[in-house]
Amino acid sequence: MPFINAKVTVKMSEEKKETIKEKLGKAISTIPGKSESWLMVGFEDSYDLYFQGNKNAESAFIEVKVFGGASSSVYNKMTGQLCSIFEEELGIPANRIYIKYEAVADWGWNGSNL
């Protein structure tokens, strides 16, 4: 039950969203037991993000919520993949991307909690 939400300063076309969604679907398998079949993805484009006191360069804030969590080494590997995806697809440099990981103990789906 992972969820990835990306707030980015650039405008994203529907085609670009689809491409990034597909790449995120592959990257999520870095986390043991997670796959695209349960992944939910959200995009907030043209988002106002101020980084280091200004918004003069493209930036991103990405949240990854994972039911049960994962190890720091797994998150570290995932960070590299996410930074690569957003740099390749949107031109956002890795040094202007923050990624927040959150392990979730209680996750509701289909009328009940897992």
Side-chain angles (χ1 to χ4, degrees), residues 33-83:
K34 306 304 176 195
S35 68
E36 183 179 24
S37 63
W38 289 98
L39 176 63
M40 184 178 280
V41 174
F43 296 111
E44 298 177 59
D45 64 343
S46 300
Y47 197 87
D48 287 335
L49 287 173
Y50 291 80
F51 184 64
Q52 297 177 332
N54 61 64
K55 63 175 190 171
N56 62 1
E58 307 303 353
S59 302
F61 179 70
I62 303 165
E63 296 176 281
V64 181
K65 298 178 189 243
V66 180
F67 179 62
S71 70
S72 293
S73 64
V74 168
Y75 289 149
N76 189 52
K77 185 176 179 183
M78 182 95 177
T79 294
Q81 292 177 359
L82 294 177
C83 286

Side-chain angles (χ1 to χ4, degrees), residues 2-109:
F3 174 63
I4 300 174
N5 190 53
K7 296 176 183 179
V8 299
T9 57
V10 300
K11 178 71 177 152
M12 297 173 67
S13 67
E14 290 303 313
E15 294 81 18
K16 191 58 74 171
K17 289 177 184 179
E18 185 67 26
T19 298
I20 294 171
K21 187 258 322 163
E22 288 174 6
K23 289 185 175 189
L24 294 175
K26 292 177 183 158
I28 200 64
S29 65
T30 300
I31 300 173
K34 306 304 176 195
S35 68
E36 183 179 24
S37 63
W38 289 98
L39 176 63
M40 184 178 280
V41 174
F43 296 111
E44 298 177 59
D45 64 343
S46 300
Y47 197 87
D48 287 335
L49 287 173
Y50 291 80
F51 184 64
Q52 297 177 332
N54 61 64
K55 63 175 190 171
N56 62 1
E58 307 303 353
S59 302
F61 179 70
I62 303 165
E63 296 176 281
V64 181
K65 298 178 189 243
V66 180
F67 179 62
S71 70
S72 293
S73 64
V74 168
Y75 289 149
N76 189 52
K77 185 176 179 183
M78 182 95 177
T79 294
Q81 292 177 359
L82 294 177
C83 286
S84 291
I85 291 167
F86 283 85
E87 189 163 15
E88 290 169 11
E89 295 299 328
L90 299 177
I92 301 172
N95 68 348
R96 296 211 40 110
I97 298 173
Y98 274 173
I99 302 171
K100 174 189 172 192
Y101 294 96
E102 184 177 341
V104 179
D106 297 302
W107 200 285
W109 172 73

